[in-house]
Amino acid sequence: MLPPPGADARRHSARLLEVLRRRIGTGSIGFEAFMESALYAPGLGYYMAGLAQFGAPGDFVTAPEIAPEFARCLANAIAAVHEQTGAGDVLEVGGGSGALAAGVLQALAERESLPQRYWLLEISPALCARQRERIARLPGELAGRVRWASALPRGLRGVVFANEVADALPVTRFRCRPCGVDEIRTAWRDGRLCDQESAAGPALRQAVAALQADLGQTFAAGFASELSPTLDGWVRALAGALEQGLLLLIDYGYPRAEYYAPQRDGGTLVCHYRHRAHADPYWYPGLQDISASVDFTAVAEAASGAGLELQGFTSQAGFLIDNGILDDAGHGAQAALTPQGVTASARLQTLLMPDQMGERFGVLGFSRGLETRVPGFQSVALSRRL
């Protein structure tokens, strides 16, 4: 049972719902168009309206909000790149609350490896405001290096990374039928949003056929899943911004063969509201997160097509351990008995345990012009699964 939104929140959702109703009219729109509006409609979408998304007062938590150790491990990988490229740029795509940027900058300062500029690429004015407030609390030497961008900077030398961004790219949904492929679209019926299935157009039919050919299997009748139509272009754009250095993507998802495995026949779409996961994307649009797992194979194909070299694919646990999270946490037997040690241990379990974020999240690294490998992909090497 989901907790009911307050009156103001319901009125906010009703305004977005009216926009969607007018857009749909008497027909239907692609689910990706609905998801785009639900998350990113100016002033109304979930990420655009100033709602609390992250942490205890929000709907979900991300690794930087859970544990400062996450930012320090990421800084370790960034410092290794800086040794090869010089102290150039760091670009964080989708900066959330600003917690990760603040933590990375502080850790890089400790390592004497600060970038010349730390870019935050953010499309949400509301999130930009939260990030500015967070960064303003840093020492002036660190805060002064931060720049906000509404479009990708070019010619970057250093590191481009995105943590839990690709899962929020709008998806197209489909279902296989004995006679072909249906597209699962969004319609308005009986006073509410709902799914409506209709015969897929040529582009979607071809995309599903290409998936089946690549996997060497035929999806069973009734098999439903999704595709991310903008993922390829998004990855290629990030790669194109990188003149030399590392592209690092951290998210939840699967290699293609696991994403479209027969047992995952309902797709991966998930919604989050007040730290509860559920499956109804039409529940109070604008008040909840909607996401889908990432096809890591598609990410690797796009990055390779943009001329990047695969540094590695690993689990979040593997990446963090290789970058010193256990050493950084300082967990000796004595420390673990203190209240601070118990708290730190709980944080690490969330980040590292297989049944939590440790294996559910993957890390993909790609490079351009680096001569040595970046730490993070040695202990748990999963590239053969892509």
Side-chain angles (χ1 to χ4, degrees):
M1 179 71 69
L2 296 172
D8 288 345
R10 292 197 302 272
R11 283 191 289 270
H12 174 87
S13 180
R15 289 193 293 272
L16 177 56
L17 199 60
E18 179 59 22
V19 171
L20 287 163
R21 188 192 65 78
R22 290 199 303 267
R23 185 175 181 186
I24 292 169
T26 58
S28 65
I29 58 174
F31 185 83
E32 73 282 357
F34 159 76
M35 187 171 170
E36 174 78 27
S37 292
L39 297 181
Y40 304 112
L44 294 173
Y46 177 72
Y47 286 106
M48 307 296 281
L51 304 175
Q53 297 95 4
F54 311 102
D59 302 305
F60 57 90
V61 292
T62 61
E65 307 284 342
I66 294 169
E69 292 88 353
F70 183 86
R72 291 200 286 271
C73 290
L74 185 55
N76 187 65
I78 292 172
V81 175
H82 284 172
E83 291 178 2
Q84 299 186 59
T85 64
D89 295 288
V90 172
L91 169 65
E92 180 182 351
V93 181
S97 69
L100 185 53
V104 168
L105 281 165
Q106 290 169 314
L108 288 174
E110 294 172 5
R111 290 164 170 76
E112 298 184 349
S113 187
L114 281 169
Q116 293 179 9
R117 290 170 299 271
Y118 190 109
W119 293 96
L120 282 163
L121 179 62
E122 182 59 67
I123 64 171
S124 167
L127 287 176
C128 274
R130 293 180 64 185
Q131 293 160 14
R132 290 180 186 277
E133 181 180 349
R134 188 70 170 261
I135 296 302
R137 298 200 294 266
L138 294 175
E141 166 65 8
L142 305 186
R145 294 174 186 258
V146 180
R147 305 285 188 275
W148 278 264
S150 57
L152 272 173
R154 309 297 298 180
L156 296 173
R157 296 172 63 86
V159 177
V160 177
F161 75 90
N163 179 59
E164 290 197 59
V165 177
D167 63 90
L169 296 177
V171 295
T172 298
R173 300 167 66 202
F174 67 88
R175 188 185 307 278
C176 294
R177 298 295 188 188
C179 56
V181 178
D182 278 358
E183 180 181 357
I184 305 173
R185 297 171 63 82
T186 298
W188 179 267
R189 188 179 304 123
D190 299 326
R192 67 182 301 272
L193 295 169
C194 61
D195 288 342
Q196 177 177 296
E197 297 189 26
S198 57
L204 181 55
R205 290 200 307 271
Q206 291 169 12
V208 174
L211 268 181
Q212 294 179 101
D214 182 62
L215 294 168
Q217 68 185 59
T218 299
F219 297 143
F223 181 91
S225 193
E226 57 279 321
L227 290 158
S228 180
T230 60
L231 179 64
D232 182 88
W234 182 76
V235 173
R236 287 174 180 268
L238 297 183
L242 189 65
E243 182 178 312
Q244 182 191 14
L246 178 73
L247 171 61
L248 196 64
L249 301 177
I250 307 168
D251 225 312
Y252 53 89
Y254 307 95
R256 182 171 293 152
E258 298 171 33
Y259 195 121
Y260 297 104
Q263 66 269 26
R264 197 163 284 113
D265 60 356
T268 70
L269 199 74
V270 64
C271 307
H272 288 94
Y273 180 77
R274 297 297 180 262
H275 302 279
R276 293 165 172 84
H278 68 100
D280 184 2
Y282 304 130
W283 187 87
Y284 287 106
L287 301 187
Q288 64 173 351
D289 184 43
I290 307 171
S291 64
S293 294
V294 178
D295 178 350
F296 291 140
T297 304
V299 172
E301 290 171 346
S304 176
L308 298 188
E309 176 188 356
L310 177 67
Q311 281 272 322
F313 169 48
T314 189
S315 65
Q316 177 174 288
F319 180 82
L320 296 177
I321 290 170
D322 280 352
N323 277 289
I325 192 169
L326 298 179
D327 299 332
D328 192 48
H331 268 213
Q334 295 294 327
L337 298 176
T338 66
Q340 295 84 355
V342 171
T343 300
S345 177
R347 292 199 306 260
L348 293 189
Q349 287 185 47
T350 301
L351 294 184
L352 300 177
M353 293 299 289
D355 61 342
Q356 298 193 55
M357 298 176 77
E359 291 186 7
R360 181 70 180 86
F361 282 69
V363 184
L364 281 156
F366 307 94
S367 62
R368 193 191 307 277
L370 297 184
E371 295 182 359
T372 59
R373 311 302 289 181
V374 175
F377 304 100
Q378 291 74 32
S379 298
V380 182
L382 305 178
S383 299
R384 66 186 182 280
R385 291 168 54 186
L386 291 173

